[in-house]
């Protein structure tokens, strides 16, 4: 799982600066492209929470540290995108935050004992 997450994160970071959907693309393609921020920050948060040395830090402190690191990274990515012909979008920062929180919370949910929790997690999206 760890190598899959790292490769996925690297590919998704590249997607922040290369390519993108166009006006003429199918609506589904556009929506998939827009979900990239959520997926990138979901994987990043999950990785930091599960596999990094940060997992030695207790609960809320770990969340604050991961949130701080990834929010700053997301903000910097938005600023850098303006240099490659894209625009700074607040919507992307909100998608980043949703991904960060979802990636942080997933390890704490117990889907085998209560499958309804998986459904509850998906409702806001």
């Amino acid at each position: 799982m760890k190598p899959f997450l790292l490769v996925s994160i690297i590919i998704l970071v590249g997607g922040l600066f290369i390519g993108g959907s166009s006006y003429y693309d199918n609506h589904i393609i556009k929506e998939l492209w827009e979900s990239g921020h959520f997926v990138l920050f979901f994987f990043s948060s999950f990785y930091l929470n599960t596999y990094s040395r940060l997992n030695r830090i207790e609960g809320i402190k770990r969340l604050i540290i991961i949130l701080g690191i990834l929010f700053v990274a997301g903000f910097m990515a938005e600023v850098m995108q303006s240099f490659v012909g894209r625009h700074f979008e607040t919507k992307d920062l909100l998608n980043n935050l949703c991904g960060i929180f979802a990636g942080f919370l997933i390890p704490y949910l117990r889907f085998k004992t209560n499958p309804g929790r998986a459904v509850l997690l998906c409702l806001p999206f």
Side-chain angles (χ1 to χ4, degrees), residues 1-12 39-40 42-44 46-47 51:
M1 180 79 161
K2 189 176 177 179
F4 167 77
L5 285 173
L6 287 174
V7 169
S8 299
I9 290 168
I10 291 167
I11 291 170
L12 288 166
V39 174
L40 169 61
F42 173 86
F43 284 164
S44 300
F46 183 83
Y47 180 85
Y51 297 113

Side-chain angles (χ1 to χ4, degrees), residues 70-83:
L70 293 179
F71 184 78
V72 168
F75 185 82
M76 289 173 49
E78 284 300 312
V79 170
M80 291 188 322
Q81 282 180 349
S82 65
F83 295 110

Side-chain angles (χ1 to χ4, degrees), residues 16 19-21 30-31 33-35 37 41 71 74-83 85-97:
L16 290 175
S21 62
K30 289 180 185 179
E31 290 300 320
W33 189 261
E34 286 296 318
S35 68
H37 280 269
F41 285 87
F71 184 78
F75 185 82
M76 289 173 49
E78 284 300 312
V79 170
M80 291 188 322
Q81 282 180 349
S82 65
F83 295 110
R86 297 200 181 169
H87 304 286
F88 186 98
E89 294 187 37
T90 309
K91 175 182 69 170
D92 289 342
L93 291 177
L94 293 174
N95 286 336
N96 296 352
L97 284 173

Side-chain angles (χ1 to χ4, degrees), residues 3 8 20 24 35 38 41 67-68 70 74 76 86 98 104 109 116 122:
S8 299
Y24 299 105
S35 68
F38 176 86
F41 285 87
L67 181 64
L70 293 179
M76 289 173 49
R86 297 200 181 169
C98 289
F104 186 84
L109 298 176
C122 295

Side-chain angles (χ1 to χ4, degrees), residues 20-33:
S21 62
S22 72
Y23 177 79
Y24 299 105
D25 284 340
N26 183 319
H27 182 69
I28 294 172
I29 300 296
K30 289 180 185 179
E31 290 300 320
L32 286 172
W33 189 261

